[in-house]
């Protein structure tokens, strides 16, 4: 005994030493190495049975009361238990009978004939929790302690209802400290020794474990018959009993004496009573118990009955065992079961409950490893691309069929209109068949019509939205199946039904019921199938939208592209010189310029910058591109229209042509990008700001998030550049093409004043330096951005009549947006968009120049003195607006005008000091 305990403690220490290397999240399925699973089993088999059996062996020598013991086995949640009973029943049916000379059973083992059952381990282990009457006092030792002791013995129950010294009916019993002999064989208890010698060979053999325990206990108690059932929890939460060992004759008794139909019904009733009361039942004469109807004459063959609950070390009830008709050792006559018989049976069933618990843990670990492998394989299948949705689902289903040993797998997919006149229908099915070839299996996809299959169970699952697990043995051959709904995670609607049919036995061709592990695998597959269905639907929607976008782009390209006559006219026209068009002058005005001259002026800019020659631009493509860009602007917008685009491009052209500095700083590709960007920087402008688009939750805001208009301008620019006949960048290499598009995008996004305000401080710092090295791409990108803003705002530098006209156009556009905000959002617009402030336009223009425009032109002029006309024009217009503000002082209150004049004087003094 000391040697066994020392070995047990050594194994526990080794287990604790390895424990830290196998930590994992309990909510995730982990596939443990086989060696580690074997190590767990080694701990469970060596520690629990050894300690408990040695305690029982020692107890077998004691005939009087013993010291009380407390259960110290590690606690496990009952939710971890899984199906083993189905496996137990199959093993008993398919394997050879248990043999052993030490059992000394006169009747052959093949007389054990368990009934067909559909019980699985998680169901008999997921039964009721600990009763307050069980394990009510715990040892002060931790449940994780390496010292283990056996559970308290079950108390005695009344011997029979007619005994003169005992109550009539059995009552719930309290734990008792008294111990009795565990086995008549003492330390040489053959069943326990066989259990220890078996080791891992017992794993997965629940039927043989129960048979050995029942036969050995029946021999000790000299019973004529026995039965054992394990607890199964139904989906409703109710506990029921499923037979593992049916009512079987023992010893010299014949099957006819104890195994009639009436006897079987009586046994079920008694064991059900024990299940309900969770207490032992010892009846001297069952015929005198009013709870049982004994009208049948054959029931006279059953007299004494002893039935006790089987519990694990946590006090959870996992089964019921029953013995009938104790034989007198002397003359073989019937006698009542004694208190000692009850103790002996209780001790053996406690050991059986503990071992079953350990078997369950081993089986649970093994099944979780299989489940983890299946989940990984399903995830790998889902992550890959497949030719079709059916192929994807078929491959996913093929991953679990070998694990569940299912013969058929079917996915029922409902139609769009599932319910028509209270009738439910499926639109299509995916059907797979598994053919086992020795240790391997081959899975085939069969083309099946819905009429070729039985959809009744799938329909029930679709309507109930719950997993259905059932087996039928009425017909030939037996059929078992599981149906699981596939849900849409967003809507919780059932979008399909997965069905497994005919679980094949591993040792024979017989069909058996699916267990809880199979249900979990199918439910996992249902989740993945749901993801696959949603993915397929998303792909289909995406493809449809992509096709719709292509059609829309085709229509847009048709309507935005200039007519062939316009293109030919511009292509054949004689382009005036830059001097005659005045496009070299910073004071250029497009006001009153004929529309055909605006496009010719654009062509002249590209020609004089040598862009057509340097980049091999097809002249006809250039003409079509310019005309298409012009058509991309909305004529209904007062200011942000084609005239503004031309004015912006002309300002950039004038700066680039005014000095050779820019030609030296910028590459030819950068100049091309700047000219394209200026012409396209406000394409399809809607006459409203980004803030209005975001507040009104227009699609542009949802599409881009920030700088919505600028991103839209660039994308439309890209669309025109890719349009057939407008591909002016087709002569570029792929590398230059990517580079120029990147610069165009950066330049167009730079026209967002928010971006300008973020970056201008760095540019102003550069302008104060005596020399700047422009070889850095970062600095050149900053310079390109500032030149884009300078060109975009150049209307403020134009001659006074032009500036005043443009200011009124801008105000008209802003006030229209303010009216929309007041009407749609019920808010007061900001000052520059509030029509009520129209009389304050001069003051607002001065503020706009001081805050936005003048600092920029001042910095550009410092770096490039040839651009000083822009700064000078801005200063002159500021003075003009200031005078208008002073003229309106008397009629509209002079406070703001006085402040503006004072600000102007202070700015003038500061500028003179800086110069």
């Amino acid at each position: 005994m000391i040697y066994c305990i020392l070995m047990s403690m050594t194994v526990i220490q080794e287990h604790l030493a390895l424990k830290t290397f196998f930590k994992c999240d309990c909510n995730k399925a982990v596939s443990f190495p086989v060696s580690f699973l074997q190590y767990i089993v080694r701990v469970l088999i060596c520690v629990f049975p050894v300690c408990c059996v040695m305690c029982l062996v020692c107890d077998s020598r004691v005939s009087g009361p013993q010291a009380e013991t407390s259960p110290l086995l590690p606690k496990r949640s009952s939710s971890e238990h899984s199906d083993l009973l189905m496996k137990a029943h199959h093993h008993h049916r398919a394997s050879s009978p248990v043999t052993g000379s030490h059992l000394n059973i006169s009747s052959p083992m093949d007389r054990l004939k368990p009934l067909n059952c559909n019980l699985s381990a998680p169901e008999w282990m997921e039964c009721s929790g600990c009763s307050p009457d069980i394990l009510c006092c715990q040892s002060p030792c931790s449940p994780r302690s390496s010292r283990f002791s056996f559970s308290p013995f079950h108390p005695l129950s009344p011997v029979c209802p007619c005994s003169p010294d005992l109550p009539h009916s059995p009552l719930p019993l309290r734990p008792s400290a008294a111990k009795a002999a565990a086995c008549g064989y003492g330390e040489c208890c053959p069943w326990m020794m066989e259990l220890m010698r078996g080791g891992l060979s017992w794993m997965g053999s629940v039927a043989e474990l129960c048979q050995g325990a029942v036969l050995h206990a029946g021999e000790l108690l000299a019973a004529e018959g026995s039965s054992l059932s394990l607890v199964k929890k139904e989906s409703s939460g109710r506990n029921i009993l499923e037979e593992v060992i049916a009512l079987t004759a023992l010893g010299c008794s014949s099957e006819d004496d104890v195994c009639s139909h009436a006897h079987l019904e009586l046994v079920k009733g008694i064991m059900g009573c024990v299940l309900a009361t969770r207490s032992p039942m010892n009846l001297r004469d069952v015929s005198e118990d009013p709870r049982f109807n004994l009208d049948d004459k054959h029931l006279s063959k059953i007299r004494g009955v002893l039935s006790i609950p089987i519990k694990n070390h946590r006090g959870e009830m996992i089964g019921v065992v029953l013995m009938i008709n104790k034989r007198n050792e002397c003359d073989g006559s019937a006698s009542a079961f004694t208190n000692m018989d009850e103790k002996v049976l209780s001790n053996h069933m406690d050991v059986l409950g503990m071992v079953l618990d350990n078997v369950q843990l081993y089986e649970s670990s093994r099944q979780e490893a299989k489940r983890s492998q299946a989940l990984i394989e399903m995830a790998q299948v889902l992550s890959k691309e497949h030719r079709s949705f059916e192929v994807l689902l078929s491959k996913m289903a093929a991953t679990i069929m070998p694990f569940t040993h299912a013969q058929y797998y079917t996915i029922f997919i409902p139609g769009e209109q599932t319910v028509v006149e209270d009738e439910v229908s499926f639109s299509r099915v995916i059907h797979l068949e598994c053919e086992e070839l020795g240790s391997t299996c081959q899975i085939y996809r069969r083309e099946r019509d819905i009429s070729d299959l039985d959809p009744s169970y799938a329909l029930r699952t679709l309507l109930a939205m719950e997993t259905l697990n059932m087996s039928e043995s009425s017909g030939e051959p037996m059929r078992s199946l599981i149906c699981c709904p596939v849900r849409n995670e967003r809507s919780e609607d059932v979008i399909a039904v997965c069905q497994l049919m005919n679980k094949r036995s591993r040792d024979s061709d017989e069909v058996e019921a699916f267990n809880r592990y199979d249900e979990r695998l199918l439910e996992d597959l249902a989740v993945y199938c749901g993801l696959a269905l949603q993915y397929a639907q998303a792909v289909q929607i995406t493809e449809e939208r992509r096709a719709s976008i292509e059609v829309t782009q085709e229509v847009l390209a048709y309507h935005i592209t200039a007519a062939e006559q316009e293109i030919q006219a511009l292509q054949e026209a004689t382009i005036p010189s830059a001097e005659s068009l005045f496009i070299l002058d910073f004071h250029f005005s497009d006001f009153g310029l004929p529309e055909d001259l605006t496009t010719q002026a654009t062509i002249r800019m590209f020609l004089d910058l040598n862009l057509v020659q340097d980049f091999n631009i097809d002249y006809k493509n250039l003409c079509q591109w310019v005309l298409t860009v012009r058509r991309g602007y909305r004529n209904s917008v007062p200011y942000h229209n084609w005239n503004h685009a031309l004015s912006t491009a002309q300002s950039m052209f004038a700066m680039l042509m005014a000095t050779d500095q820019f030609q030296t700083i910028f590459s030819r590709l950068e100049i091309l990008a700047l000219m394209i960007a200026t012409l396209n920087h406000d394409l399809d402008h809607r006459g409203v700001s980004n803030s209005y688009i975001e507040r009104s939750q227009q699609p542009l805001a949802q599409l881009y998030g920030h700088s919505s208009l600028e991103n839209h301008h660039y994308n439309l620019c890209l669309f025109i550049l890719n349009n057939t006949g407008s591909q002016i960048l087709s002569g570029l290499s792929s590398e230059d093409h990517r580079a120029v598009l990147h610069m165009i995008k950066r330049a167009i996004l730079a026209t967002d004043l928010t971006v300008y305000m973020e970056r201008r401080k760095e540019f102003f710092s550069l302008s104060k330096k005596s020399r700047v090295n422009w070889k850095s791409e970062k600095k050149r990108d900053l310079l390109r951005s500032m030149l884009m803003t300078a060109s975009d705002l150049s209307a403020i530098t134009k001659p006074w009549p032009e500036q005043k006209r443009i200011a009124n156009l801008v105000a008209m556009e802003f006030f229209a947006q303010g009216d929309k905000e007041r009407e749609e959002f019920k808010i007061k617009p900001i000052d520059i968009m509030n029509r009520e402030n129209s009389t304050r336009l001069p003051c607002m223009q001065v503020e706009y120049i001081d805050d936005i425009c003048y600092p920029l032109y001042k910095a550009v002029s410092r770096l490039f003195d040839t651009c000083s006309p822009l700064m000078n024009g801005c200063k002159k217009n500021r003075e003009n607006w200031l005078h208008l503000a002073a003229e309106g002082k008397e009629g509209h209150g002079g406070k703001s005008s006085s402040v503006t004049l004072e600000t102007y004087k202070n700015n003038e003094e500061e500028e003179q000091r800086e110069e």
Side-chain angles (χ1 to χ4, degrees):
M1 174 180 178
I2 295 175
Y3 173 77
C4 293
I5 294 177
L6 289 175
M7 287 297 295
S8 302
M9 294 178 65
T10 302
V11 173
I12 294 173
Q13 289 173 356
E14 294 175 359
H15 166 63
L16 294 176
L18 291 176
K19 184 178 180 181
T20 56
F21 293 95
F22 296 94
K23 291 182 179 179
C24 66
D25 186 351
C26 61
N27 291 327
K28 297 180 180 178
V30 178
S31 179
F32 292 106
V34 175
S35 58
F36 181 58
L37 294 177
Q38 292 175 345
Y39 201 88
I40 293 177
V41 174
R42 179 184 173 192
V43 172
L44 298 173
I45 293 301
C46 292
V47 176
F48 297 139
V50 167
C51 295
C52 298
V53 169
M54 295 312 299
C55 291
L56 291 175
V57 170
C58 293
D59 291 339
S60 66
R61 296 184 174 185
V62 183
S63 59
Q66 302 295 318
E68 182 179 0
T69 59
S70 300
L72 295 176
L73 297 179
K75 296 187 71 175
R76 292 190 299 274
S77 170
S78 62
S79 62
E80 297 175 0
H81 291 142
S82 305
D83 291 10
L84 289 176
L85 289 186
M86 203 53 225
K87 179 180 177 181
H89 168 62
H90 161 68
H91 185 93
H92 176 67
R93 182 179 65 230
S95 61
S96 60
V98 180
T99 60
S101 59
H102 61 275
L103 295 179
N104 193 23
I105 302 298
S106 58
S107 61
M109 284 297 298
D110 55 9
R111 296 176 65 183
L112 291 173
K113 299 177 181 177
L115 297 179
N116 243 351
C117 64
N118 179 22
L119 187 58
S120 48
E123 292 149 352
W124 62 261
M125 297 306 254
E126 292 173 2
C127 51
S128 56
C130 296
S131 169
D133 297 335
I134 305 298
L135 305 179
C136 56
C137 57
Q138 292 286 347
S139 167
C141 299
S142 168
R144 299 180 182 270
S145 171
S146 61
R147 296 186 297 127
F148 297 94
S149 61
F150 194 63
S151 303
F153 295 134
H154 291 278
L156 301 181
S157 63
V159 175
C160 67
C162 60
S163 175
D165 55 351
L166 292 175
H168 178 71
S169 61
L171 300 174
L173 301 173
R174 302 290 177 183
S176 171
K179 288 184 182 179
C183 181
Y185 292 97
E187 292 186 355
C188 297
C189 172
W191 176 67
M192 294 184 183
M193 298 304 295
E194 183 71 19
L195 182 65
M196 293 183 62
R197 283 197 300 267
L200 285 174
S201 64
W202 285 114
M203 291 305 171
S205 182
V206 176
E208 291 186 1
L209 278 172
C210 296
Q211 286 175 3
V214 168
L215 291 175
H216 180 61
E219 178 190 11
L220 294 178
L221 272 59
E224 293 184 355
S226 63
S227 179
L228 187 146
S229 298
L230 296 180
V231 175
K232 172 185 176 182
K233 177 173 284 188
E234 292 184 323
S235 58
S236 62
R238 186 173 65 95
N239 291 333
I240 62 172
L241 289 174
E242 292 277 0
E243 287 181 332
V244 175
I245 307 297
L247 183 58
T248 307
L250 303 175
C252 299
S253 304
S254 66
E255 294 289 338
D256 296 335
D257 291 339
V258 296
C259 296
S260 67
H261 176 73
H263 292 160
L264 296 177
E265 294 300 321
L266 175 62
V267 166
K268 289 181 181 179
I270 295 174
M271 297 177 78
C273 185
V274 174
L275 174 64
T277 60
R278 300 172 55 87
S279 301
M281 181 177 292
N282 191 344
L283 305 177
R284 181 181 296 276
D285 191 347
V286 70
S287 62
E288 299 183 9
D289 194 312
R291 291 173 297 180
F292 307 108
N293 185 6
L294 304 179
D295 294 337
D296 195 293
K297 62 180 181 179
H298 297 290
L299 294 181
S300 60
K301 295 179 181 180
I302 295 182
R303 293 294 182 181
V305 175
L306 173 60
S307 181
I308 67 168
I310 304 173
K311 299 182 180 180
N312 58 22
H313 68 276
R314 296 182 299 278
E316 299 169 352
M317 191 168 175
I318 62 174
V320 177
V321 65
L322 177 139
M323 298 289 172
I324 61 172
N325 293 354
K326 179 178 177 66
R327 301 185 305 275
N328 192 299
E329 296 180 359
C330 298
D331 56 8
S333 61
S335 62
F337 290 101
T338 65
N339 294 344
M340 185 60 65
D341 294 333
E342 183 177 336
K343 286 186 177 181
V344 170
L345 185 59
S346 296
N347 292 342
H348 283 73
M349 292 305 107
D350 283 340
V351 174
L352 177 63
M354 178 192 64
V355 175
L356 288 176
D357 208 28
N358 295 337
V359 170
Q360 173 274 326
L361 179 61
Y362 168 78
E363 179 67 12
S364 178
S365 301
R366 191 174 66 87
Q367 294 289 350
E368 283 300 324
K370 290 169 55 179
R371 178 170 176 259
S372 300
Q373 181 182 351
L375 291 175
I376 292 173
E377 291 180 5
M378 284 190 285
Q380 290 174 344
V381 170
L382 185 62
S383 64
K384 297 177 181 178
E385 293 185 2
H386 301 278
R387 297 189 306 272
S388 66
F389 170 66
E390 287 78 7
V391 172
L392 172 61
L393 290 185
S394 300
K395 289 185 177 181
M396 291 178 62
T399 60
I400 73 163
M401 292 186 73
F403 292 104
T404 59
H405 301 281
Q407 185 179 5
Y408 305 110
Y409 174 82
T410 309
I411 300 178
F412 295 88
I413 303 176
E416 295 183 1
Q417 300 294 332
T418 305
V419 180
V420 180
E421 297 181 357
D422 297 332
E423 292 185 2
V424 185
S425 61
F426 295 103
S427 61
R428 55 179 174 153
V429 294
I430 300 173
H431 184 74
L432 280 76
E433 296 182 8
C434 180
E435 180 181 347
E436 294 190 3
L437 304 173
S439 59
T440 62
C441 62
Q442 187 69 36
I443 299 174
Y444 303 93
R445 182 183 167 198
R446 307 294 189 188
E447 293 296 333
R448 290 288 187 272
D449 189 75
I450 188 66
S451 59
D452 300 333
L453 302 170
D454 180 11
S456 58
Y457 299 106
L459 291 174
R460 286 171 55 183
T461 303
L462 179 65
L463 296 176
M465 302 178 66
E466 294 180 353
T467 301
L468 173 66
N469 187 352
M470 61 171 298
S471 59
E472 293 179 343
S473 56
S474 57
E476 291 295 338
M478 177 184 174
R479 182 170 66 168
S480 60
L481 61 86
I482 313 177
C483 286
C484 181
V486 179
R487 290 183 172 86
N488 186 320
E489 291 186 356
R490 295 182 179 178
S491 62
E492 290 297 323
D493 294 333
V494 177
I495 55 179
V497 175
C498 296
Q499 176 179 285
L500 287 175
M501 181 178 289
N502 291 359
K503 180 181 178 68
R504 291 292 186 180
S505 170
R506 285 180 289 182
D507 301 323
S508 67
D509 291 333
E510 297 183 21
V511 175
E512 59 185 28
F514 291 99
N515 56 36
R516 178 55 186 157
Y517 282 118
D518 300 326
E519 287 186 27
R520 291 183 63 189
L521 273 177
L522 186 60
E523 289 168 354
D524 293 335
L525 176 63
V527 173
Y528 281 90
C529 286
L531 294 175
L533 282 168
Q534 293 180 53
Y535 171 75
Q537 292 172 356
V539 170
Q540 182 179 359
I541 292 173
T542 302
E543 292 299 327
E544 291 175 355
R545 290 181 177 177
R546 182 179 301 170
S548 176
I549 290 173
E550 290 178 357
V551 171
T552 303
Q553 289 179 342
E554 183 182 348
V555 174
L556 175 62
Y558 173 78
H559 288 283
I560 202 174
T561 303
E564 186 65 29
Q565 295 83 354
E566 289 184 277
I567 300 171
Q568 186 175 358
L570 180 58
Q571 182 181 0
E572 295 175 354
T574 301
I575 307 300
S577 64
E579 290 78 9
S580 62
L581 293 170
F582 303 102
I583 55 177
L584 293 173
D585 190 353
F586 284 107
H587 300 313
F588 167 81
S589 172
D590 63 284
F591 182 70
L593 196 66
E595 195 172 62
D596 57 339
L597 283 182
T598 60
T599 54
Q600 293 177 18
T602 305
I603 297 294
R604 173 52 61 187
M605 296 178 199
F606 276 76
L607 292 173
D608 287 4
L609 287 171
N610 293 322
L611 298 178
V612 177
Q613 300 88 331
D614 292 345
F615 297 105
N616 195 25
I617 299 176
D618 183 82
Y619 190 71
K620 182 179 180 181
N621 287 350
L622 177 63
C623 294
Q624 179 176 327
W625 176 76
V626 171
L627 291 170
T628 304
V629 169
R630 186 187 69 181
R631 292 171 67 93
Y633 284 89
R634 301 190 180 193
N635 295 328
S636 59
V637 178
Y639 173 66
H640 291 95
N641 49 37
W642 166 247
N643 290 330
H644 169 64
L646 176 63
S647 177
T648 303
Q650 184 274 330
S651 297
M652 178 65 71
F653 173 76
M655 285 190 287
L656 293 174
M657 296 293 290
T659 177
D660 293 336
Q661 282 183 282
F662 290 121
Q663 305 287 342
T664 305
I665 294 172
F666 294 132
S667 66
R668 302 299 298 161
L669 207 61
E670 288 175 292
I671 293 175
L672 175 64
L674 287 172
M675 291 305 300
I676 293 175
T678 51
L679 279 171
N680 291 267
H681 80 283
D682 274 332
L683 267 176
D684 194 41
H685 200 289
R686 283 91 188 282
V688 293
S689 65
N690 283 326
S691 61
Y692 177 83
I693 290 176
E694 293 171 4
R695 184 173 294 172
S696 58
Q697 298 181 350
Q698 294 185 13
L700 282 181
Q702 298 174 0
L703 185 60
Y704 302 114
H706 66 90
S707 299
S708 302
L709 282 171
E710 287 72 23
N711 277 290
H712 176 58
H713 304 327
Y714 168 72
N715 281 334
L716 193 54
C717 166
L718 193 61
F719 173 77
I720 295 175
L721 286 173
N722 291 328
N723 190 24
T724 303
S726 301
Q727 299 166 333
I728 61 174
L729 301 180
S730 59
L732 300 179
S733 65
S734 58
E735 183 178 354
D736 288 345
H737 190 270
R738 286 193 301 269
V740 74
L741 290 182
H742 174 72
M743 288 186 286
I744 291 172
K745 182 175 184 179
R746 295 278 298 174
I748 292 178
L749 293 180
T751 58
D752 186 352
L753 285 181
T754 303
V755 177
Y756 160 70
M757 298 299 290
E758 291 173 355
R759 304 192 66 184
R760 72 175 189 170
K761 184 177 180 181
E762 182 183 357
F763 183 71
F764 292 167
S765 299
L766 283 178
S767 68
K768 295 178 181 179
K769 295 182 179 180
S770 57
R771 292 188 63 182
V772 179
N773 185 358
W774 298 106
K775 292 182 179 180
S776 168
E777 169 59 26
K778 181 179 179 182
K779 291 180 180 178
R780 291 205 313 278
D781 178 69
L782 178 63
L783 177 59
R784 292 196 300 268
S785 298
M786 294 299 113
L787 292 182
M788 284 295 299
T789 304
S791 300
D792 191 21
L793 306 180
S794 62
I796 200 71
T797 67
K798 300 299 180 181
W800 172 243
E802 180 69 7
Q803 155 61 189
K804 191 174 181 180
R805 182 185 67 85
I806 294 176
N808 289 328
L809 294 176
V810 174
M812 185 187 306
E813 193 172 297
F814 282 2
F815 291 156
Q817 176 178 329
D819 296 340
K820 292 180 181 179
E821 291 177 348
R822 191 190 305 274
E823 181 180 354
E824 296 176 10
F825 310 134
K826 310 301 180 185
I827 61 173
K828 181 180 179 181
I830 60 176
D831 289 345
I832 60 173
M833 296 185 179
N834 191 349
R835 193 177 297 275
E836 297 175 357
N837 293 331
S838 58
T839 56
R840 293 192 61 250
L841 179 61
C843 296
M844 291 188 291
Q845 282 293 99
V846 173
E847 293 172 2
Y848 167 66
I849 292 173
D850 290 343
D851 295 339
I852 305 296
C853 304
Y854 184 74
L856 173 62
Y857 292 120
K858 182 179 178 181
V860 172
S861 298
R862 281 178 176 175
L863 291 170
F864 309 100
D865 54 358
T866 55
C867 297
S868 57
L870 296 173
M871 182 187 68
N872 296 332
C874 183
K875 286 176 64 176
K876 291 181 179 179
N877 286 327
R878 184 182 186 278
E879 293 175 0
N880 293 327
W881 286 116
L882 199 60
H883 289 313
L884 282 182
E887 291 175 0
K889 174 181 177 181
E890 296 181 359
H892 303 285
K895 185 175 181 181
S896 60
S897 299
S898 299
V899 172
T900 304
L901 288 171
E902 186 65 27
T903 303
Y904 170 73
K905 292 179 181 179
N906 292 337
N907 291 341
E908 287 289 333
E909 294 174 359
E910 181 181 354
E911 183 180 347
Q912 291 176 1
R913 286 195 301 269
E914 289 179 358
E915 291 176 353

